[in-house]
Amino acid sequence: MNATMLKRTLLFSIIGLSLFQNACQKATETENKIIQNDILSICNMAIQNAIVVDHVAAPVGSRRYVYASIAAYESLVPFHSNYQSVAPMMNGLKATPLPDTTQKYCLDLVAMAAHTYVSQKLVYKEDSIANFRKRQLEFYQDKMSNSMFEASISYGDSVGSHIVKWSKSDSFAYFRGREFFLTKNNPGSWEQTPPDFMEAIEPNWGRIRPVLVKSVREFQFDAPEPYSTNKQSRFYAIAKQVYDTVNSKDTNQLKTAWYWDDNPNASVHYGHATINVLKVSPAGHWLSMFSTVARQKNYSLMETADGMVRLSSAIFDAFITCWHVKYKTDYLRPITAIHDLIDSSWNSPIQTPAFPEYPSGHSVVSSAAATVLTATFGEYEFTDSAEFKFGLGVRKFKNFREASNQACVSRLYGGIHFIDAIEKGKKLGNEVGNYHVTHLKTKR
């Protein structure tokens, strides 16, 4: 063999060895890896899109987020020694399956698999999540060995399956067939409101099992202001406050009311035509705000999962607690009082939701969310873009509490809540939030 041939042979051997080593490295990764830190925010967008398509009530939407978030968090815990499983703290949740320590994993693929396994089982139109999951799997497939790819999906799905099984014991399916609510027709009781005069939404939601709170009865609440037709009464005064606030037609107040409407069941009527208006849900709005901060502060995948499990759990329990009080007090909406006492032609700028008024659900949920996020992550200035895709622009907030307070008062601006429901809702929401801060411990 001459010198030239020998050099070529050696060169091809070196190239071949290099290719072989690269292939072996891909086939037998030596450590767990992360490709997308932001995957859970992307997964939540898939749930948000499904909620819009399914047209479900806000409490139902919160259920989808919480179980998916818990699944994602639990799937990541075994890989982070400074975090611990929340299973011992959650009502009825048994220990989560552990990964095979002989395998290596792509952690964001694990979390994505767990998250989408759960959300696909909870949405009505499964294709919306199934297609999203398929696109994500195609993205991941050529970025790791087949063994890591398959192990990651398998483990994520096993955790997802575990959480889905747990979710089935929360009484959601049982109460879905028992939604009818009989209006009492007593002075001051809730009655169906225009324009749709819908049946009461989710009257049994207060009986769903919370994830962390042991019983909604742990939280005390004041009775709402007694109904009165007396123009000198305090009830007439708070009804007149709503009437006057709306009639002032303050442009900034109206924009705030629309920005925080977050009613997935809203509709607009044009003659005989009814058009459903696409809007984000309260849980989706708050999770989007947290995602913005997570990106801004460059949170790790685990830090993001931690925030989402805390936030979604507090929101879910806040909805259950709030709905328990709503159907206990069975209180009329401002539009009913104003029609009876002040002006029969008056209408609210945003559509009155079809359930009792007291307390304000947005006030309870937003206050609980702000309490948990502030206690866990501190105060950060951020720009909220959750409503941008719905044509409502962006808003800048100094911190989570400022956003929460704006969400609360928006219900007065929108003409759908008395001031008492807002203030008492804040109080109840803060109590639920503080309960979660005290009892949900994710760090070792």
Side-chain angles (χ1 to χ4, degrees):
M1 181 180 297
N2 61 36
T4 301
M5 292 180 63
L6 179 60
K7 287 180 181 178
R8 288 177 179 173
T9 302
L10 289 172
L11 178 60
F12 288 132
S13 297
I14 291 170
I15 293 172
L17 179 60
S18 176
L19 292 173
F20 175 75
Q21 288 174 334
N22 288 339
C24 286
Q25 186 175 10
K26 182 178 180 182
T28 59
E29 288 95 345
T30 58
E31 60 182 19
N32 301 317
K33 66 196 303 184
I34 295 175
I35 297 173
Q36 295 187 92
N37 254 341
D38 200 31
I39 185 61
L40 295 181
S41 298
I42 299 171
C43 287
N44 280 338
M45 284 299 297
I47 292 182
Q48 176 180 303
N49 292 338
I51 287 172
V52 169
V53 171
D54 285 345
H55 204 57
V56 297
V60 179
S62 75
R63 182 176 182 266
R64 298 174 175 187
Y65 285 111
V66 70
Y67 287 123
S69 295
I70 292 173
Y73 174 86
E74 287 291 298
S75 73
L76 294 172
V77 164
F79 304 98
H80 297 84
S81 59
N82 56 329
Y83 285 86
Q84 62 182 353
S85 169
V86 297
M89 307 163 219
M90 296 290 181
N91 297 321
L93 179 57
K94 296 179 180 178
T96 308
L98 296 175
D100 180 353
T101 56
T102 66
Q103 298 281 350
K104 295 302 174 184
Y105 300 88
C106 175
L107 300 188
D108 46 323
L109 177 54
V110 168
M112 188 281 294
H115 196 284
T116 55
Y117 185 97
V118 172
S119 59
Q120 186 174 337
K121 299 295 184 182
L122 299 186
V123 302
Y124 300 150
K125 296 179 176 64
E126 293 185 14
D127 286 351
S128 59
I129 301 296
N131 292 334
F132 166 79
R133 176 178 165 116
K134 181 175 180 291
R135 291 193 300 272
Q136 289 300 314
L137 293 179
E138 290 170 351
F139 168 82
Y140 280 104
Q141 191 158 20
D142 63 353
K143 293 174 174 59
M144 66 196 75
S145 69
N146 289 335
S147 60
M148 177 177 277
F149 182 73
E150 295 297 338
S152 300
I153 298 169
S154 177
Y155 179 57
D157 284 355
S158 71
V159 175
S161 176
H162 181 75
I163 298 302
V164 167
K165 182 179 179 181
W166 172 52
S167 74
K168 291 180 178 179
S169 61
D170 69 1
S171 298
F172 173 77
Y174 176 81
F175 286 123
R176 293 303 288 169
R178 295 164 173 77
E179 289 191 10
F180 185 73
F181 179 72
L182 184 64
T183 53
K184 298 180 176 62
N185 294 321
N186 295 327
S189 292
W190 179 82
E191 59 185 69
Q192 291 158 282
T193 54
D196 294 330
F197 296 95
M198 292 172 59
E199 296 278 353
I201 292 175
E202 303 297 339
N204 293 303
W205 198 260
R207 301 166 71 182
I208 300 291
R209 179 193 62 198
V211 290
L212 185 73
V213 169
K214 298 306 176 187
S215 171
V216 294
R217 292 172 179 79
E218 294 186 36
F219 303 99
Q220 302 299 313
F221 61 91
D222 299 324
E225 185 69 25
Y227 175 81
S228 175
T229 59
N230 186 341
K231 290 188 177 183
Q232 305 304 313
S233 67
R234 185 173 181 277
F235 177 82
Y236 186 90
I238 62 174
K240 187 69 161 50
Q241 179 187 23
V242 177
Y243 180 75
D244 290 342
T245 299
V246 170
N247 285 0
S248 71
K249 299 187 184 301
D250 185 291
T251 301
N252 289 329
Q253 290 182 355
L254 286 172
K255 286 181 178 178
T256 296
W258 277 105
Y259 189 84
W260 290 101
D261 188 17
D262 293 351
N263 179 9
N265 279 286
S267 60
V268 176
H269 295 261
Y270 297 98
H272 294 291
T274 300
I275 299 174
N276 293 323
V277 181
L278 304 182
K279 296 181 182 180
V280 68
S281 69
H285 196 157
W286 275 100
L287 283 159
S288 176
M289 283 191 284
F290 172 72
S291 293
T292 296
V293 172
R295 287 190 294 269
Q296 179 181 317
K297 306 302 291 185
N298 197 28
Y299 288 160
S300 68
L301 176 64
M302 191 65 218
E303 287 174 317
T304 301
D306 181 22
M308 287 182 175
V309 79
R310 289 176 175 277
L311 179 56
S312 62
S313 296
I315 289 173
F316 181 67
D317 283 0
F319 266 120
I320 295 171
T321 306
C322 178
W323 251 243
H324 167 71
V325 180
K326 277 183 177 293
Y327 283 95
K328 281 287 185 184
T329 55
D330 186 24
Y331 202 56
L332 80 170
R333 288 281 181 171
I335 192 170
T336 303
I338 291 169
H339 280 186
D340 289 348
L341 304 176
I342 303 173
D343 181 354
S344 60
S345 65
W346 183 86
N347 201 6
S348 56
I350 63 175
Q351 186 174 334
T352 298
F355 40 80
E357 190 266 352
Y358 183 91
S360 156
H362 237 37
S363 300
V364 176
V365 168
S366 296
S367 297
T371 298
V372 167
L373 289 178
T374 302
T376 307
F377 297 101
E379 297 191 0
Y380 297 126
E381 188 174 281
F382 63 95
T383 299
D384 173 28
S385 59
E387 299 290 353
F388 182 78
K389 67 185 293 186
F390 299 96
L392 298 173
V394 300
R395 293 206 167 194
K396 192 171 186 178
F397 298 105
K398 294 178 181 177
N399 48 46
F400 296 119
R401 186 61 68 183
E402 182 183 40
S404 170
N405 287 337
Q406 190 179 105
C408 295
V409 75
S410 74
R411 314 319 261 175
L412 173 63
Y413 299 158
I416 65 172
H417 277 295
F418 302 109
I419 191 65
D420 290 3
I422 294 169
E423 295 303 322
K424 298 300 183 181
K426 284 184 181 181
K427 179 176 180 292
L428 181 58
N430 289 335
E431 290 175 0
V432 174
N434 283 322
Y435 184 99
H436 273 252
V437 171
T438 302
H439 292 88
L440 187 57
K441 302 297 182 183
T442 57
K443 298 285 186 67
R444 290 190 184 276

